[in-house]
């Protein structure tokens, strides 16, 4: 399914680039274009309804049941978690920018417009990945094991590795980070009984990482960070996961 989305991203990106009046994405000489970036994010966002419909077709459960054990997306749970997760992520991003600045801000119409677009589509893209990996695939793997503990361990491990693999890097540091992130998201889902907190952490992390790059006019030069610096986001992910696990009863109370 992801392969099909990536194939579809090329023509969709080319069409958007033509519409925006920029040099279109060239599959034979791949480069990061605005249209390709927007198309890729929107196609990943489409994983939300696609995952829900697949669950309905395969397991006979309506799409909204994929969001949580209560049968819907619990906005109150997300709001309660945001109270401590968003400030933590902001502090981390400020520290990261001091250590690895994205560059001088270019307050142009293009950079500001793209930042607004990012605020809309990046959370949707993050949610799409969560609905696929921690929603549909996680449940599909867990359903194959009778013992809950074994199901949890296997589903967490496999989806964590899959999550790392789809990011397309062979770098050890990068693979370790994405695997850990996938495992942490799975633990959050298990602790809260729904996708809301994992979606929140994923979306806030991706958005805050991307906005400085866009404002610096470096979206076209976007690259994956590697090396020991990734120990910082790993620590943040572990810290947030521990806090979510500890506060889960209060986050989900009367949700």
């Amino acid at each position: 399914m992801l392969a099909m989305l990536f194939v579809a991203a090329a023509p969709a990106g080319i069409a958007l680039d033509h519409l925006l009046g920029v040099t279109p994405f060239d599959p034979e000489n791949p480069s990061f274009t605005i249209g390709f970036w927007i198309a890729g994010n929107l196609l990943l966002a489409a994983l939300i309804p696609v995952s829900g419909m697949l669950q309905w077709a395969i397991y006979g459960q309506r799409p909204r049941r994929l969001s949580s054990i209560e049968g819907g997306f619990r906005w109150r749970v997300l709001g309660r978690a945001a109270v401590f997760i968003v400030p933590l992520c902001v502090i981390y991003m400020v520290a990261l920018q001091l250590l690895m600045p994205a560059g001088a801000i270019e307050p142009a119409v293009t950079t500001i417009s793209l930042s607004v677009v990012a605020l809309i589509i990046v959370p949707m893209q993050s949610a799409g990945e969560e609905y696929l990996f921690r929603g549909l695939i996680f449940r599909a793997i867990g359903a194959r094991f009778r013992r809950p503990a074994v199901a949890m361990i296997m589903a967490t491990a496999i989806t964590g590795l899959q999550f790392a693999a789809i990011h397309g890097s062979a770098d050890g540091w990068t693979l370790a980070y994405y695997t850990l992130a996938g495992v942490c998201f799975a633990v959050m889902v298990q602790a809260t009984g729904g996708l809301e907190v994992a979606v929140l952490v994923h979306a806030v992390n991706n958005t805050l990482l991307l906005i400085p790059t866009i404002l610096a006019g470096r979206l076209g030069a976007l690259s994956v960070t590697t090396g020991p610096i990734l120990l910082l986001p790993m620590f943040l992910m572990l810290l947030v996961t521990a806090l979510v696990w500890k506060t889960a009863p209060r986050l989900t109370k009367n949700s």
Side-chain angles (χ1 to χ4, degrees):
M1 182 164 57
L2 284 173
M4 292 173 62
L5 289 177
F6 289 139
V7 169
I14 293 171
L16 277 173
D17 284 329
H18 281 300
L19 184 65
L20 294 169
V22 299
T23 303
F25 176 78
D26 183 1
E28 295 183 2
N29 184 27
S31 60
F32 209 71
T33 66
I34 295 175
F36 184 74
W37 171 68
I38 294 175
N41 277 280
L42 291 177
L43 286 169
L44 287 172
L47 289 172
I48 300 173
V50 169
S51 298
M53 294 305 292
L54 284 173
Q55 175 183 254
W56 195 1
I58 297 170
Y59 299 107
Q61 290 187 333
R62 292 192 176 271
R64 66 192 310 270
R65 301 289 303 177
L66 195 60
S67 297
S68 75
I69 56 175
E70 295 183 17
F73 195 89
R74 301 166 300 176
W75 290 99
R76 289 185 181 179
V77 174
L78 184 144
R80 291 167 185 164
V83 171
F84 65 89
I85 288 174
V86 174
L88 269 176
C89 290
V90 170
I91 292 171
Y92 159 71
M93 293 304 170
V94 170
L96 189 63
Q97 285 303 309
L98 292 174
L99 291 171
M100 298 178 59
I105 294 178
E106 299 181 4
V109 173
T110 301
T111 57
I112 294 174
S113 299
L114 284 177
S115 296
V116 173
V117 171
L119 288 172
I120 298 171
I121 67 172
V122 174
M124 294 168 58
Q125 162 262 317
S126 302
E129 292 182 8
E130 291 307 309
Y131 270 81
L132 176 64
F133 287 102
R134 261 64 64 178
L136 182 65
I137 297 177
F138 190 88
R139 291 185 179 186
I141 295 171
R144 294 180 176 274
F145 301 92
R146 293 184 178 179
R147 298 178 61 181
V150 176
M152 170 65 179
I153 292 170
M154 293 302 296
T156 298
I158 293 173
T159 55
L161 292 171
Q162 289 175 330
F163 185 65
I166 61 104
H167 283 85
S169 175
D171 176 74
W173 283 102
T174 306
L175 287 172
Y177 167 68
Y178 282 120
T179 301
L180 177 65
V183 168
C184 287
F185 290 143
V187 172
M188 293 177 201
V189 170
Q190 182 68 17
T192 61
L195 298 174
E196 300 89 357
V197 178
V199 167
L200 173 69
V201 177
H202 198 156
V204 170
N205 179 71
N206 284 11
T207 303
L208 291 180
L209 275 173
L210 192 58
I211 293 297
T213 302
I214 293 175
L215 290 175
R218 299 184 63 239
L219 180 62
L222 190 65
S223 61
V224 178
T225 303
T226 185
I229 191 67
L230 286 177
L231 290 173
L232 285 176
M234 289 182 189
F235 173 76
L236 175 71
M237 196 63 68
L238 289 171
L239 175 61
V240 170
T241 304
L243 290 172
V244 170
W245 187 271
K246 185 175 181 179
T247 60
R250 294 197 296 274
L251 293 176
T252 58
K253 184 178 180 180
N254 299 322
S255 59

